[in-house]
Amino acid sequence: MIKNFWRWVNETSLVKLILVGIILGILLAVFIPQWAASISILGTLFVNALKAVAPVLVFVLVMAALATKRAGASSNMRPLLVLYVVSTFVASLTAVAASFLFPTILQLQVTDAQLAPPTNIIEVIRTVVLNIVDNPVHALINANYIGILAWASVMGIALRQANDTTKQLISDFAQVITQLVQWVLRFAPIGIFGLVASTIAESGFGALIGYVKLLAVLLGCFFFIALVMNPLIAFVKMRINPYPLVLTTLRESGLYAFFTRSSAANIPVNMNLCQKLGLDEDTYSVSIPLGATINMSGAAITIAVLTLSAVHTLDIPVDFATAFLLCVISAVGACGASGVAGGSLLLIPLACSLFGISNDIAMQVVGVGFIIGVLQDSCETALNSSSDVLFTAVAEFAERRKEGRL
């Protein structure tokens, strides 16, 4: 009996198992909510395991990719960076337009959160630069992916001068870490079962009723970018039907990210999906962790929509130039958002400062963001993370088409 069960688990698609975990989590939260607190440890363990292995995975894979780099292997990185920047800016434009078409008013009476957000765009840029030169051990311990990428890149380039035995050792170590990630991912259905049960039991299905309109604007923007604008960008680049690829990334990357609510924790999932899609490891081992840091369409939407909600609440007039500047600040600020749950909310006071909104009021808007975070942050992360794989694949498939290999 047990042997048959494990055979079924090993032979069944991981996505199907995750859906089973979601259904069981909902049923537990509805019918036995008192158990949810105990079950939540399963979700916490799964997310923490992903967060623990992700920094090491990124460091080793990037270093190995650059140390054993083949000529022309990084040819996709420049167009890929352009795709990241364009998609994030388009997302911020969409969010600003939607906020003016469907203005929302907030009840700014929430518990103040004890946070220390950046006060201006210069501080965001300064933080990014300082993260680049962070101590490598400190960067690994604190999951500073900008620092990890910087040090892994430098060491990988330096190791190109090493002998073949050393390069093979590094490559073998990268394979070991990849296998470790595969083992962690097999526990995804159990972890998501715990996450779903605890989330619904704590917040309930009606927890978001007071913010339905705000959520509708946010979720509408997320879905519009994911299902309309991103496919349009992909089509312009690849010149083929993008929807099979878009739906694959949403199903096999976005689903994980929806429940982990962390772009950083979803890095191993995205690398695994890139491997399944047959993409070049030398490219995706760099582009995926980079995307988890700077490809933040969902974060740009969150920053713009919540900021303009505060603006509409306070009846502050907004001209075209200021609205456009908000698009730029939302896009640039989103690139500095942390790759963890709720990271984009810390950038809202930065955008609010553009309209002279005090930090006290801005922090109340952040509080609203945490209240609706059950859906907002989950959908935001799903968009962010699935876009990393989407545009990595788009850049490579477009290159293959030019070369006549697609």
Side-chain angles (χ1 to χ4, degrees):
M1 185 71 175
I2 296 178
K3 185 181 293 186
N4 291 336
F5 173 75
W6 283 114
R7 185 183 299 115
W8 175 78
V9 169
N10 289 324
E11 293 175 354
T12 303
S13 164
L14 198 56
V15 173
K16 292 180 180 178
L17 292 175
I18 290 172
L19 291 175
V20 171
I22 293 171
I23 294 170
L24 292 177
I26 293 173
L27 292 175
L28 180 70
V30 171
F31 295 106
I32 321 176
Q34 62 271 22
W35 288 13
S38 301
I39 295 298
S40 66
I41 187 66
L42 298 175
T44 302
L45 286 172
F46 175 64
V47 174
N48 285 351
L50 284 175
K51 288 182 178 179
V53 75
V56 180
L57 176 72
V58 171
F59 183 79
V60 173
L61 286 187
V62 171
M63 182 172 62
L66 292 176
T68 58
K69 174 180 174 294
R70 300 184 302 275
S74 296
S75 59
N76 293 328
M77 287 307 299
R78 181 175 295 177
L80 180 57
L81 288 174
V82 173
L83 287 172
Y84 281 170
V85 172
V86 168
S87 64
T88 301
F89 185 70
V90 167
S92 65
L93 279 173
T94 300
V96 170
S99 295
F100 280 109
L101 287 173
F102 308 100
T104 55
I105 306 298
L106 303 177
Q107 298 295 323
L108 298 178
Q109 297 177 356
V110 296
T111 303
D112 291 336
Q114 299 300 314
L115 301 169
T119 57
N120 53 63
I121 199 67
I122 300 300
E123 186 174 338
V124 175
I125 297 173
R126 178 177 178 273
T127 300
V128 170
V129 172
L130 290 178
N131 283 340
I132 291 175
V133 294
D134 192 11
N135 180 288
V137 177
H138 185 268
L140 281 167
I141 292 174
N142 292 277
N144 167 16
Y145 286 96
I146 295 178
I148 291 170
L149 280 170
W151 283 105
S153 299
V154 170
M155 293 185 68
I157 292 171
L159 283 167
R160 294 181 66 184
Q161 307 302 319
N163 58 47
D164 291 340
T165 303
T166 302
K167 292 179 181 179
Q168 185 60 48
L169 177 63
I170 295 170
S171 180
D172 290 343
F173 188 49
Q175 293 298 320
V176 169
I177 297 298
T178 301
Q179 181 60 59
L180 177 60
V181 171
Q182 300 288 340
W183 291 341
V184 171
L185 292 180
R186 292 307 302 176
F187 290 93
I190 298 174
I192 288 176
F193 163 66
L195 288 169
V196 171
S198 60
T199 298
I200 294 179
E202 288 174 10
S203 303
F205 291 104
L208 306 177
I209 290 178
Y211 298 97
V212 168
K213 187 174 182 181
L214 177 60
L215 270 172
V217 174
L218 282 167
L219 299 184
C221 289
F222 292 148
F223 283 108
F224 182 76
I225 293 298
L227 298 175
V228 179
M229 297 310 298
N230 280 356
L232 180 60
I233 294 171
F235 174 76
V236 170
K237 187 69 176 176
M238 296 190 301
R239 300 294 180 180
I240 60 175
N241 180 11
Y243 280 99
L245 178 61
V246 169
L247 295 178
T248 296
T249 57
L250 287 173
R251 183 179 67 249
E252 300 198 26
S253 172
L255 186 61
Y256 279 98
F258 183 89
F259 290 103
T260 62
R261 298 169 63 189
S262 170
S263 297
N266 217 48
I267 287 175
V269 178
N270 283 350
M271 292 222 178
N272 184 58
L273 178 55
C274 286
Q275 184 181 39
K276 289 174 63 177
L277 291 172
L279 303 183
D280 186 352
E281 184 175 345
D282 288 345
T283 298
Y284 72 71
S285 62
V286 177
S287 69
I288 294 302
L290 183 63
T293 303
I294 68 170
N295 184 34
M296 292 287 181
S297 298
I301 290 170
T302 297
I303 294 168
V305 170
L306 283 171
T307 298
L308 286 175
S309 294
V311 168
H312 294 315
T313 300
L314 300 173
D315 226 7
I316 299 173
V318 182
D319 57 23
F320 176 81
T322 306
F324 183 80
L325 183 56
L326 174 62
C327 293
V328 175
I329 289 179
S330 297
V332 174
C335 295
S338 170
V340 299
S344 61
L345 299 178
L346 300 180
L347 278 299
I348 290 173
L350 164 62
C352 283
S353 66
L354 176 65
F355 301 93
I357 298 174
S358 70
N359 193 59
D360 288 342
I361 296 176
M363 292 311 298
Q364 292 183 48
V365 179
V366 173
V368 172
F370 278 110
I371 291 172
I372 64 173
V374 174
L375 280 178
Q376 169 269 322
D377 196 36
S378 295
C379 291
E380 174 191 315
T381 309
L383 173 60
N384 289 341
S385 195
S386 62
S387 297
D388 296 344
V389 182
L390 173 64
F391 290 126
T392 296
V394 166
E396 183 162 334
F397 291 162
E399 188 66 25
R400 291 180 188 178
R401 184 180 60 82
K402 288 181 181 178
E403 298 172 356
R405 294 187 291 126
L406 185 65

